[in-house]
Amino acid sequence: MNLAARASSLLAASCCTLALTTTAAYGAIGNEDNKTSSGSSGSASGNTLTASATTTHIKVTQSGGSTSGGSTKPLAPVDPNWQPPACWYEPVASPQQLKGAVERLKKNPNADLVPVTPTLSWGEQLMVDHYEKGKAENGSGAGFKDYNLGKDGMFWRGVINKNRANDVESYDCERTLFWQNAKTLPEDKHAPTPDVLAAYAYDKINVPQTRIELKPAIKSTVNAPTWVWLDKAKFNEVTVRAELPEAGVWAETTAKPVALHVDPGTSDSGTSPSSGDCAINADGSIGTPYTKGDAYKSPPCGVTYLRASGAQPYQLKASITWQISWEGSGGAKGDLPDGTFETTKAMAVQEIQAVNR
């Protein structure tokens, strides 16, 4: 009996500054999805046994980032094909909690049915036969005598990533509510292994919103460089920890700022350095601030336009690249695609041989 509701949709400056932002819609930092279970005893009320298919026990915390207390933005992966996991399995109920849910069904036929997969719920008879009497049900494998009371472990079920609730892959975790011994992971490709939690954590990273300085800020001149810099920026690594305590597994994903990339928006231009990648200095700054008299000097980070823009300004793009790595329980570690966020600035370029700055 398919009763669980599926999510209906995906989550869907001053004249002298350029604010770096992103339009990517990713989950924000926090525990808005988390419902803490009552432990090894008690009823199943108030935990994910009877919660929505997108409710998770994963605990998420973030450290690092901006020291100024400014706003933050989520990262967009450089690899357009990368996605966080669509679904995974995790513990949702102790034997006592599962028994409590079935006992409520026995006392009240109108009580909530028990979700045994993200999209399938069972009523009293099926639950009693499979989890109390130990009978096999419809290809679900052997049952569990008396809810496995007295055993050390929990019942697990699939969870859907709410940001991918409409994806076909979110239907891949349809294994019927199953038993897993304490502090072990199921032998399943959708088990919450450290790499899965690392990818989940990546989806929760928020990095400091950054304002890039330009000189000139709006109008530039042919053959005269536009200086680009970030003055005394206090960049810190950002680390997000995703943990499933009841499964004994965790991962920490770290984003490290490594470069500012400048794209002039036209091939009739040059960048400094030629790659357009301006490295972050040891003190956290990028490039060098413009000072009077530097108008025609080559900046360590900047753009030089070789042709006037005409009626349509050039679209200068600037983006910060964040290198992503992770480590997790059991000594696991690895890398994930770089992340970035960018903004676009309209730059009018005029054909003037000299300009008073």
Side-chain angles (χ1 to χ4, degrees), residues 37 40 89 109 149 182 225 245 265 272 278 280 284 287 330 332 340:
S37 71
S40 60
Y89 291 105
L149 287 169
S272 179
C278 303
I280 295 178
T340 186

Side-chain angles (χ1 to χ4, degrees), residues 127-330:
M127 294 300 298
V128 168
D129 285 348
H130 193 65
Y131 295 98
E132 183 176 306
K133 296 182 179 180
K135 295 181 180 179
E137 293 291 343
N138 300 325
S140 299
F144 304 92
K145 187 72 174 179
D146 199 19
Y147 309 100
N148 273 3
L149 287 169
K151 294 186 178 181
D152 188 13
M154 294 191 73
F155 287 96
W156 288 48
R157 190 186 64 212
V159 175
I160 294 171
N161 186 335
K162 69 179 182 180
N163 290 343
R164 298 189 61 190
N166 281 352
D167 290 7
V168 173
E169 292 180 8
S170 70
Y171 287 89
D172 290 346
C173 298
E174 291 292 312
R175 187 175 170 184
T176 304
L177 191 70
F178 63 93
W179 177 260
Q180 191 68 31
N181 289 331
K183 302 301 181 181
T184 66
L185 297 179
E187 294 183 2
D188 190 289
K189 66 179 181 179
H190 296 295
T193 51
D195 60 317
V196 170
L197 292 185
Y200 181 84
Y202 186 173
D203 199 27
K204 302 294 183 180
I205 291 174
N206 280 337
V207 295
Q209 185 174 357
T210 307
R211 303 185 77 84
I212 300 298
E213 305 291 335
L214 302 175
K215 184 67 176 184
I218 300 175
K219 291 184 178 180
S220 188
T221 304
V222 171
N223 294 323
T226 295
W227 288 60
V228 180
W229 76 95
L230 196 155
D231 190 17
K232 296 180 181 179
K234 297 301 180 183
F235 277 116
N236 292 321
E237 294 182 356
V238 178
T239 298
V240 171
R241 181 183 179 93
E243 182 176 13
L244 268 174
E246 290 171 325
V249 63
W250 59 270
E252 290 184 347
T253 300
T254 298
K256 178 182 179 180
V258 292
L260 166 70
H261 181 76
V262 180
D263 180 352
T266 174
S267 59
D268 292 321
S269 61
T271 59
S272 179
S274 58
S275 64
D277 295 322
C278 303
I280 295 178
N281 302 322
D283 65 354
S285 64
I286 298 175
T288 301
Y290 171 86
T291 58
K292 188 175 181 179
D294 288 344
Y296 287 91
K297 294 180 180 179
S298 178
C301 181
V303 174
T304 300
Y305 290 102
L306 307 178
R307 187 185 299 272
S309 58
Q312 296 296 324
Y314 297 127
Q315 301 299 305
L316 184 150
K317 293 182 180 179
S319 60
I320 293 285
T321 297
W322 296 73
Q323 188 177 70
I324 312 297
S325 61
W326 66 270
E327 61 181 12
S329 50

Side-chain angles (χ1 to χ4, degrees), residues 18 94 97 324 331:
L18 179 59
S94 68
Q97 290 172 328
I324 312 297

Side-chain angles (χ1 to χ4, degrees), residues 11-22:
L11 296 177
S14 68
C15 66
C16 299
T17 61
L18 179 59
L20 288 177
T21 60
T22 180

Side-chain angles (χ1 to χ4, degrees), residues 41-42 50 52 66 112 119 125 132 143 251 282 302 324 341:
S41 63
T50 54
S52 74
S66 175
D112 289 339
T119 63
Q125 192 60 55
E132 183 176 306
I324 312 297
F341 59 85

